Amino acid sequence: MIEISELVKTYPGPAEDISVLDGLDLSVGKAESIAIVGPSGCGKTTLLNILGTLDVPTSGSVSIAGKELSQLDAEERSKFRNRSLGFVFQQHFLLPQCTVEENVIMPRLAGGWEESESDTRERAISLLRDLGLEERVAHRPYQLSGGERLRVAVARALINQPALVLADEPTGSLDPSMGEQVADLFAQLNDQHGVTLVTVTHNAALAERMGVVYALEKGKLQRR
Ligand SMILES: Nc1ncnc2c1ncn2[C@@H]1O[C@H](COP(=O)(O)OP(=O)(O)OP(=O)(O)O)[C@@H](O)[C@H]1O
Ligand SMILES: [Mg+2]
């Protein structure tokens, strides 16, 4: 599903360039799940952003489902993001003027959906129920706690039934029991629906439930 080789990412710095990813290799099969751990600033979000086509590598190759990302044109990239990818961002980026339910079905706005809007709404409610938010569907983000906003972001990432889920600290602001509920949902997606999962996390309990755990160190991944 994911093949990365010799991935390099540097950012321009005030004096010299900052090297974040430095010849990173990774291979993740379909329906596999991995966790990526590492200290703040080591490049975890940078790696997810590149996998999600939100950022581009300085050099190296990244392919997903057999397609080299650098070869995709803008339209193919946005199609990939809208139809095959679920992204749970570290900053959740919920739309403040929209309700919880509207935020979850927001990916529909990008178009290309075969399913009727009422079926999508039904699935949104069911996802929100799984995440303990059935009483919050008509709330707006400012009326939610941090953990509730995070769970809305998880539901939004799953609404398009993606083949690949990239999650950046998906249990960051959750208490242990809610964290476990998110971990259960991910495990279920992975086991029953063959979804490939790449999760960045500081949560040892969540990391343990992924098939393989990698540490991001000095710009490369080391298998734990
Ligand atoms: N757009 C940018 N321009 C310059 N430097 C950047 C940019 N984005 C990230 N960096 C730098 O790259 C490094 C890696 O950042 P990244 O966000 O990937 O870290 P992270 O591992 O996700 O950290 P955290 O656990 O705190 O979220 C940091 O040192 C950061 O300062
Ligand atoms: Mg980060």
Side-chain angles (χ1 to χ4, degrees):
M1 186 72 178
I2 299 174
E3 286 295 337
I4 299 181
S5 98
E6 286 291 306
L7 174 61
V8 172
K9 180 68 183 180
T10 56
Y11 287 114
E16 54 194 53
D17 289 354
I18 302 166
S19 163
V20 181
L21 305 176
D22 187 17
L24 179 148
D25 299 316
L26 174 67
S27 174
V28 185
K30 192 169 159 37
E32 283 183 3
S33 61
I34 70 162
I36 297 172
V37 300
S40 180
C42 72
K44 305 179 298 296
T45 298
T46 301
L47 176 59
L48 285 193
N49 284 344
I50 289 171
L51 282 170
T53 71
L54 300 172
D55 199 353
V56 290
T58 305
S59 66
S61 100
V62 179
S63 81
I64 294 184
K67 284 191 185 130
E68 173 65 39
L69 295 185
S70 62
Q71 308 280 305
L72 301 181
D73 61 30
E75 197 184 323
E76 290 169 319
R77 260 200 312 278
S78 76
K79 190 167 172 223
F80 161 71
R81 278 200 299 263
N82 295 330
R83 299 314 321 271
S84 310
L85 183 71
F87 207 131
V88 182
F89 296 95
Q90 197 170 14
Q91 289 149 356
H92 313 142
F93 301 120
L94 298 178
L95 298 176
Q97 70 278 28
C98 294
T99 66
V100 163
E101 183 182 349
E102 287 160 356
N103 267 285
V104 173
I105 68 166
M106 203 259 303
R108 279 191 75 92
L109 290 180
W113 287 63
E114 284 113 48
E115 183 183 64
S116 74
E117 187 175 327
S118 64
D119 286 350
T120 311
R121 281 186 190 275
E122 235 168 74
R123 286 194 306 104
I125 303 290
S126 145
L127 273 169
L128 290 165
R129 194 182 305 121
D130 288 347
L131 289 160
L133 289 170
E134 64 272 40
E135 310 288 325
R136 298 285 183 276
V137 293
H139 280 55
R140 288 172 212 279
Y142 75 90
Q143 298 166 313
L144 302 175
S145 73
E148 288 169 343
R149 282 197 285 269
L150 171 55
R151 283 179 276 153
V152 175
V154 170
R156 181 187 54 192
L158 303 180
I159 195 68
N160 64 349
Q161 302 171 295
L164 172 64
V165 170
L166 304 175
D168 205 347
E169 287 291 354
T171 61
S173 45
L174 300 181
D175 62 54
S177 105
M178 222 45 250
E180 200 176 324
Q181 228 158 306
V182 169
D184 286 345
L185 189 64
F186 279 15
Q188 186 191 344
L189 285 169
N190 185 235
D191 299 342
Q192 293 170 18
H193 301 281
V195 171
T196 308
L197 270 177
V198 177
T199 304
V200 165
T201 187
H202 289 294
N203 177 340
L206 177 64
E208 237 166 60
R209 293 182 65 173
M210 301 293 131
V212 186
V213 179
Y214 291 95
L216 183 47
E217 284 166 10
K218 296 184 182 136
K220 291 192 179 69
L221 291 170
Q222 311 284 350
R223 203 178 164 132
R224 279 268 171 98

